[in-house]
Amino acid sequence: SAGWRVPQSLVGHTDTVSALAVGPDGTVYTVSFDGEVRTWSGTDGACLRTLPGPNFNVLSLAVGGPIGTVYGGAADGGIGVWSGT
């Protein structure tokens, strides 16, 4: 569509990115079937942190709380929680 462009790509995961969320401060959170949760700068796209992922496929992400708690909904019905990310 006219006017749309890709200003940057977030590169680092080695398998399918299954979900992403954006925090209130603009930080981007992604989870992948490579078993990692990553946080990214919403400004320049730099990877800020790589967190150990779950042992299950996360299909959705949400960010909430004052310290950026990340919640992931899993294919097996479980919910993963990462605090202080």
Side-chain angles (χ1 to χ4, degrees), residues 4-11 26-28 40-47:
W4 286 90
R5 63 184 182 85
V6 178
Q8 64 189 355
S9 295
L10 307 178
V11 179
T27 299
V28 178
W40 309 84
S41 167
T43 305
D44 64 11
C47 182

Side-chain angles (χ1 to χ4, degrees), residues 32-53:
S32 169
F33 292 157
D34 66 8
E36 294 179 339
V37 177
R38 290 180 179 242
T39 63
W40 309 84
S41 167
T43 305
D44 64 11
C47 182
L48 303 174
R49 193 167 178 194
T50 301
L51 306 169

Side-chain angles (χ1 to χ4, degrees), residues 10-20 29-38 40 53-54 56-61 73:
L10 307 178
V11 179
H13 284 294
T14 59
D15 203 343
T16 302
V17 173
S18 57
L20 67 85
Y29 300 82
T30 59
V31 66
S32 169
F33 292 157
D34 66 8
E36 294 179 339
V37 177
R38 290 180 179 242
W40 309 84
F56 49 83
N57 289 335
V58 175
L59 303 177
S60 63
L61 279 182

